[in-house]
Short mmCIF file of all heavy atoms in Angstrom, two decimals:
data_model
loop_
_atom_site.label_atom_id
_atom_site.label_comp_id
_atom_site.label_asym_id
_atom_site.label_seq_id
_atom_site.Cartn_x
_atom_site.Cartn_y
_atom_site.Cartn_z
N LYS A 274 7.97 48.21 -53.37
CA LYS A 274 7.44 48.75 -52.16
C LYS A 274 7.37 50.24 -52.23
O LYS A 274 8.31 50.90 -52.56
CB LYS A 274 8.34 48.32 -50.99
CG LYS A 274 7.67 48.66 -49.58
CD LYS A 274 8.55 47.98 -48.54
CE LYS A 274 7.95 48.21 -47.20
NZ LYS A 274 8.69 47.53 -46.09
N ASN A 275 6.15 50.83 -51.95
CA ASN A 275 5.97 52.26 -52.03
C ASN A 275 5.38 52.74 -50.72
O ASN A 275 4.72 52.02 -50.04
CB ASN A 275 4.96 52.59 -53.13
CG ASN A 275 5.52 52.25 -54.51
OD1 ASN A 275 6.36 52.96 -54.99
ND2 ASN A 275 5.07 51.13 -55.07
N LYS A 276 5.66 53.99 -50.38
CA LYS A 276 5.11 54.61 -49.25
C LYS A 276 3.65 55.10 -49.61
O LYS A 276 3.54 55.96 -50.44
CB LYS A 276 5.90 55.75 -48.75
CG LYS A 276 5.33 56.47 -47.51
CD LYS A 276 6.23 57.64 -47.07
CE LYS A 276 5.62 58.28 -45.85
NZ LYS A 276 6.44 59.49 -45.43
N LYS A 277 2.63 54.52 -49.00
CA LYS A 277 1.30 54.94 -49.30
C LYS A 277 0.39 54.59 -48.16
O LYS A 277 0.79 53.91 -47.23
CB LYS A 277 0.83 54.34 -50.61
CG LYS A 277 1.01 52.89 -50.70
CD LYS A 277 0.62 52.42 -52.04
CE LYS A 277 1.12 50.98 -52.37
NZ LYS A 277 2.56 50.95 -52.46
N ILE A 278 -0.89 55.02 -48.31
CA ILE A 278 -1.89 54.72 -47.26
C ILE A 278 -2.77 53.65 -47.81
O ILE A 278 -3.18 53.65 -48.91
CB ILE A 278 -2.68 55.97 -46.92
CG1 ILE A 278 -1.79 57.09 -46.47
CG2 ILE A 278 -3.73 55.65 -45.86
CD1 ILE A 278 -2.48 58.39 -46.23
N PHE A 279 -3.10 52.66 -46.93
CA PHE A 279 -4.04 51.62 -47.31
C PHE A 279 -5.18 51.63 -46.32
O PHE A 279 -4.99 51.67 -45.10
CB PHE A 279 -3.35 50.28 -47.25
CG PHE A 279 -4.24 49.14 -47.48
CD1 PHE A 279 -4.74 48.85 -48.78
CD2 PHE A 279 -4.62 48.30 -46.45
CE1 PHE A 279 -5.57 47.84 -48.97
CE2 PHE A 279 -5.48 47.27 -46.69
CZ PHE A 279 -5.94 46.98 -47.94
N ILE A 280 -6.43 51.73 -46.78
CA ILE A 280 -7.58 51.85 -45.91
C ILE A 280 -8.59 50.78 -46.25
O ILE A 280 -8.93 50.55 -47.40
CB ILE A 280 -8.31 53.20 -46.08
CG1 ILE A 280 -7.25 54.33 -45.86
CG2 ILE A 280 -9.43 53.34 -45.12
CD1 ILE A 280 -7.75 55.67 -46.18
N VAL A 281 -9.08 50.07 -45.27
CA VAL A 281 -10.18 49.16 -45.44
C VAL A 281 -11.21 49.34 -44.34
O VAL A 281 -10.87 49.29 -43.16
CB VAL A 281 -9.71 47.67 -45.38
CG1 VAL A 281 -10.91 46.74 -45.58
CG2 VAL A 281 -8.74 47.42 -46.52
N ILE A 282 -12.47 49.52 -44.68
CA ILE A 282 -13.55 49.54 -43.72
C ILE A 282 -14.49 48.40 -44.05
O ILE A 282 -14.86 48.23 -45.18
CB ILE A 282 -14.41 50.84 -43.80
CG1 ILE A 282 -13.55 52.06 -43.61
CG2 ILE A 282 -15.47 50.81 -42.75
CD1 ILE A 282 -14.31 53.33 -43.78
N ILE A 283 -14.87 47.62 -43.07
CA ILE A 283 -15.91 46.61 -43.25
C ILE A 283 -16.91 46.74 -42.12
O ILE A 283 -16.57 46.68 -40.95
CB ILE A 283 -15.33 45.21 -43.25
CG1 ILE A 283 -14.16 45.10 -44.31
CG2 ILE A 283 -16.37 44.18 -43.48
CD1 ILE A 283 -13.46 43.83 -44.20
N ILE A 284 -18.17 46.97 -42.51
CA ILE A 284 -19.18 47.17 -41.49
C ILE A 284 -20.35 46.24 -41.80
O ILE A 284 -20.91 46.27 -42.89
CB ILE A 284 -19.67 48.63 -41.43
CG1 ILE A 284 -18.54 49.52 -41.05
CG2 ILE A 284 -20.86 48.74 -40.46
CD1 ILE A 284 -18.96 50.99 -40.97
N PHE A 285 -20.72 45.36 -40.87
CA PHE A 285 -21.92 44.60 -40.95
C PHE A 285 -22.88 45.27 -39.92
O PHE A 285 -22.65 45.16 -38.74
CB PHE A 285 -21.70 43.11 -40.56
CG PHE A 285 -20.95 42.35 -41.56
CD1 PHE A 285 -19.59 42.13 -41.47
CD2 PHE A 285 -21.60 41.85 -42.68
CE1 PHE A 285 -18.88 41.45 -42.43
CE2 PHE A 285 -20.89 41.13 -43.66
CZ PHE A 285 -19.57 40.94 -43.53
N SER A 286 -23.92 45.91 -40.44
CA SER A 286 -24.84 46.64 -39.58
C SER A 286 -23.99 47.67 -38.80
O SER A 286 -23.41 48.56 -39.39
CB SER A 286 -25.61 45.72 -38.70
OG SER A 286 -26.46 44.89 -39.49
N ASN A 287 -23.88 47.51 -37.45
CA ASN A 287 -23.15 48.46 -36.64
C ASN A 287 -21.78 47.88 -36.19
O ASN A 287 -21.17 48.43 -35.32
CB ASN A 287 -23.96 48.84 -35.40
CG ASN A 287 -25.19 49.66 -35.81
OD1 ASN A 287 -25.10 50.42 -36.74
ND2 ASN A 287 -26.30 49.36 -35.18
N LEU A 288 -21.37 46.72 -36.73
CA LEU A 288 -20.16 46.11 -36.30
C LEU A 288 -19.01 46.46 -37.24
O LEU A 288 -19.13 46.27 -38.46
CB LEU A 288 -20.34 44.56 -36.29
CG LEU A 288 -19.11 43.71 -35.94
CD1 LEU A 288 -18.66 44.07 -34.50
CD2 LEU A 288 -19.38 42.29 -36.05
N LEU A 289 -17.96 46.97 -36.70
CA LEU A 289 -16.79 47.38 -37.46
C LEU A 289 -15.69 46.38 -37.35
O LEU A 289 -15.31 45.99 -36.26
CB LEU A 289 -16.29 48.75 -37.04
CG LEU A 289 -15.11 49.30 -37.82
CD1 LEU A 289 -15.57 49.74 -39.18
CD2 LEU A 289 -14.51 50.50 -37.05
N LEU A 290 -15.15 45.92 -38.45
CA LEU A 290 -14.05 44.95 -38.52
C LEU A 290 -12.90 45.50 -39.32
O LEU A 290 -13.13 46.26 -40.25
CB LEU A 290 -14.49 43.59 -39.09
CG LEU A 290 -15.70 42.92 -38.40
CD1 LEU A 290 -16.08 41.71 -39.27
CD2 LEU A 290 -15.34 42.55 -37.02
N LEU A 291 -11.72 45.07 -38.99
CA LEU A 291 -10.54 45.49 -39.72
C LEU A 291 -9.93 44.25 -40.42
O LEU A 291 -9.75 43.22 -39.84
CB LEU A 291 -9.50 46.08 -38.80
CG LEU A 291 -8.12 46.25 -39.39
CD1 LEU A 291 -8.14 47.43 -40.41
CD2 LEU A 291 -7.05 46.53 -38.36
N ILE A 292 -9.67 44.38 -41.70
CA ILE A 292 -8.93 43.38 -42.43
C ILE A 292 -7.53 43.84 -42.61
O ILE A 292 -7.24 44.88 -43.22
CB ILE A 292 -9.61 43.15 -43.83
CG1 ILE A 292 -10.97 42.61 -43.68
CG2 ILE A 292 -8.74 42.24 -44.68
CD1 ILE A 292 -11.00 41.20 -43.05
N SER A 293 -6.56 43.07 -42.08
CA SER A 293 -5.16 43.44 -42.20
C SER A 293 -4.36 42.19 -42.10
O SER A 293 -4.84 41.11 -41.83
CB SER A 293 -4.78 44.43 -41.12
OG SER A 293 -4.89 43.80 -39.83
N CYS A 294 -3.07 42.31 -42.30
CA CYS A 294 -2.14 41.18 -42.28
C CYS A 294 -1.61 41.05 -40.82
O CYS A 294 -1.12 42.02 -40.29
CB CYS A 294 -1.03 41.33 -43.25
SG CYS A 294 0.16 40.02 -43.23
N LYS A 295 -1.65 39.86 -40.26
CA LYS A 295 -1.20 39.66 -38.91
C LYS A 295 0.32 39.97 -38.78
O LYS A 295 0.80 40.28 -37.69
CB LYS A 295 -1.49 38.23 -38.42
CG LYS A 295 -2.99 37.97 -38.23
CD LYS A 295 -3.22 36.53 -37.81
CE LYS A 295 -4.66 36.28 -37.62
NZ LYS A 295 -4.91 34.84 -37.20
N ASN A 296 1.05 39.80 -39.86
CA ASN A 296 2.49 39.94 -39.80
C ASN A 296 2.91 41.40 -40.09
O ASN A 296 4.08 41.68 -40.15
CB ASN A 296 3.14 38.99 -40.78
CG ASN A 296 2.93 37.55 -40.40
OD1 ASN A 296 2.92 37.20 -39.25
ND2 ASN A 296 2.71 36.68 -41.39
N SER A 297 1.94 42.28 -40.32
CA SER A 297 2.29 43.63 -40.70
C SER A 297 2.80 44.41 -39.48
O SER A 297 2.34 44.25 -38.38
CB SER A 297 1.03 44.34 -41.26
OG SER A 297 1.37 45.64 -41.53
N ASN A 298 3.78 45.25 -39.73
CA ASN A 298 4.34 46.10 -38.70
C ASN A 298 3.94 47.59 -38.86
O ASN A 298 4.58 48.44 -38.35
CB ASN A 298 5.91 46.04 -38.71
CG ASN A 298 6.37 44.61 -38.32
OD1 ASN A 298 5.87 44.05 -37.39
ND2 ASN A 298 7.36 44.12 -39.05
N ASN A 299 2.82 47.76 -39.56
CA ASN A 299 2.42 49.12 -39.87
C ASN A 299 1.86 49.80 -38.62
O ASN A 299 1.40 49.21 -37.67
CB ASN A 299 1.33 49.13 -40.96
CG ASN A 299 1.86 48.59 -42.22
OD1 ASN A 299 2.73 49.17 -42.83
ND2 ASN A 299 1.36 47.43 -42.63
N HIS A 300 1.89 51.14 -38.67
CA HIS A 300 1.33 51.93 -37.58
C HIS A 300 -0.15 52.02 -37.82
O HIS A 300 -0.63 52.51 -38.83
CB HIS A 300 1.98 53.34 -37.66
CG HIS A 300 1.59 54.20 -36.45
ND1 HIS A 300 1.64 55.53 -36.49
CD2 HIS A 300 1.15 53.83 -35.24
CE1 HIS A 300 1.25 56.04 -35.33
NE2 HIS A 300 0.95 55.03 -34.56
N ILE A 301 -0.95 51.54 -36.83
CA ILE A 301 -2.37 51.49 -36.97
C ILE A 301 -3.01 52.51 -36.00
O ILE A 301 -2.72 52.55 -34.82
CB ILE A 301 -2.89 50.10 -36.66
CG1 ILE A 301 -2.26 49.06 -37.56
CG2 ILE A 301 -4.43 50.06 -36.72
CD1 ILE A 301 -2.71 47.62 -37.32
N LYS A 302 -3.88 53.34 -36.55
CA LYS A 302 -4.63 54.33 -35.78
C LYS A 302 -6.10 54.17 -36.01
O LYS A 302 -6.54 53.62 -37.06
CB LYS A 302 -4.15 55.73 -36.16
CG LYS A 302 -2.71 56.04 -35.94
CD LYS A 302 -2.36 57.40 -36.41
CE LYS A 302 -0.86 57.72 -36.27
NZ LYS A 302 -0.51 59.08 -36.74
N SER A 303 -6.89 54.65 -35.07
CA SER A 303 -8.35 54.62 -35.25
C SER A 303 -8.84 55.98 -35.62
O SER A 303 -8.41 56.95 -35.04
CB SER A 303 -9.02 54.14 -33.95
OG SER A 303 -10.40 54.16 -34.09
N TYR A 304 -9.71 56.03 -36.63
CA TYR A 304 -10.26 57.28 -37.14
C TYR A 304 -11.75 57.17 -37.19
O TYR A 304 -12.33 56.11 -37.51
CB TYR A 304 -9.68 57.64 -38.49
CG TYR A 304 -8.24 58.05 -38.44
CD1 TYR A 304 -7.21 57.14 -38.56
CD2 TYR A 304 -7.86 59.40 -38.29
CE1 TYR A 304 -5.90 57.51 -38.54
CE2 TYR A 304 -6.58 59.77 -38.26
CZ TYR A 304 -5.58 58.85 -38.35
OH TYR A 304 -4.27 59.23 -38.38
N ASP A 305 -12.40 58.32 -37.06
CA ASP A 305 -13.84 58.41 -37.29
C ASP A 305 -14.15 58.21 -38.74
O ASP A 305 -13.48 58.73 -39.62
CB ASP A 305 -14.34 59.76 -36.80
CG ASP A 305 -15.84 59.95 -37.01
OD1 ASP A 305 -16.56 59.41 -36.17
OD2 ASP A 305 -16.20 60.60 -37.98
N TYR A 306 -15.23 57.45 -39.03
CA TYR A 306 -15.62 57.16 -40.38
C TYR A 306 -15.79 58.42 -41.24
O TYR A 306 -15.29 58.51 -42.35
CB TYR A 306 -16.96 56.41 -40.29
CG TYR A 306 -17.65 56.18 -41.61
CD1 TYR A 306 -17.12 55.28 -42.56
CD2 TYR A 306 -18.86 56.79 -41.93
CE1 TYR A 306 -17.79 55.05 -43.78
CE2 TYR A 306 -19.51 56.59 -43.10
CZ TYR A 306 -18.97 55.71 -44.02
OH TYR A 306 -19.63 55.49 -45.23
N PHE A 307 -16.45 59.42 -40.66
CA PHE A 307 -16.70 60.64 -41.42
C PHE A 307 -15.44 61.43 -41.62
O PHE A 307 -15.28 62.15 -42.63
CB PHE A 307 -17.77 61.46 -40.72
CG PHE A 307 -19.11 60.75 -40.67
CD1 PHE A 307 -19.51 60.15 -39.49
CD2 PHE A 307 -19.88 60.64 -41.80
CE1 PHE A 307 -20.74 59.51 -39.46
CE2 PHE A 307 -21.12 59.98 -41.74
CZ PHE A 307 -21.52 59.39 -40.60
N GLU A 308 -14.51 61.38 -40.66
CA GLU A 308 -13.26 62.08 -40.81
C GLU A 308 -12.43 61.48 -41.93
O GLU A 308 -11.78 62.21 -42.68
CB GLU A 308 -12.47 62.02 -39.48
CG GLU A 308 -13.01 62.91 -38.39
CD GLU A 308 -13.13 64.35 -38.80
OE1 GLU A 308 -12.19 64.91 -39.33
OE2 GLU A 308 -14.21 64.96 -38.48
N VAL A 309 -12.50 60.16 -42.09
CA VAL A 309 -11.81 59.50 -43.16
C VAL A 309 -12.35 59.93 -44.53
O VAL A 309 -11.64 60.26 -45.46
CB VAL A 309 -11.86 57.99 -43.03
CG1 VAL A 309 -11.31 57.31 -44.26
CG2 VAL A 309 -11.06 57.55 -41.81
N LEU A 310 -13.69 59.96 -44.63
CA LEU A 310 -14.28 60.37 -45.86
C LEU A 310 -13.89 61.83 -46.22
O LEU A 310 -13.69 62.12 -47.39
CB LEU A 310 -15.87 60.34 -45.76
CG LEU A 310 -16.44 58.93 -45.61
CD1 LEU A 310 -17.99 58.97 -45.65
CD2 LEU A 310 -15.95 58.00 -46.79
N LYS A 311 -13.74 62.69 -45.22
CA LYS A 311 -13.37 64.09 -45.47
C LYS A 311 -11.95 64.16 -45.99
O LYS A 311 -11.54 65.22 -46.60
CB LYS A 311 -13.45 64.90 -44.17
CG LYS A 311 -14.89 65.15 -43.72
CD LYS A 311 -14.91 65.94 -42.40
CE LYS A 311 -16.30 66.17 -41.92
NZ LYS A 311 -16.35 66.86 -40.61
N SER A 312 -11.11 63.15 -45.79
CA SER A 312 -9.74 63.20 -46.26
C SER A 312 -9.59 62.96 -47.76
O SER A 312 -8.52 63.13 -48.34
CB SER A 312 -8.88 62.19 -45.49
OG SER A 312 -9.27 60.86 -45.78
#
């Protein structure tokens, strides 16, 4: 187990979906698509 960032974007046309594990206790935040690319 390592401390790291995991990012998944899935977009069908204009629909944004998140793929994650239902049992995960991670801290989830919402970010602008372009802001993420800038990181």
Side-chain angles (χ1 to χ4, degrees):
K274 191 170 183 178
N275 294 284
K276 181 180 179 182
K277 51 187 164 293
I278 302 173
F279 175 74
I280 305 172
V281 177
I282 304 177
I283 303 174
I284 298 180
F285 288 99
S286 296
N287 295 320
L288 177 63
L289 181 71
L290 303 174
L291 168 70
I292 294 296
S293 63
C294 178
K295 292 181 179 179
N296 295 322
S297 176
N298 292 319
N299 296 294
H300 187 203
I301 302 176
K302 299 177 182 179
S303 179
Y304 288 90
D305 179 80
Y306 171 70
F307 298 102
E308 289 302 315
V309 171
L310 292 185
K311 289 178 183 178
S312 67

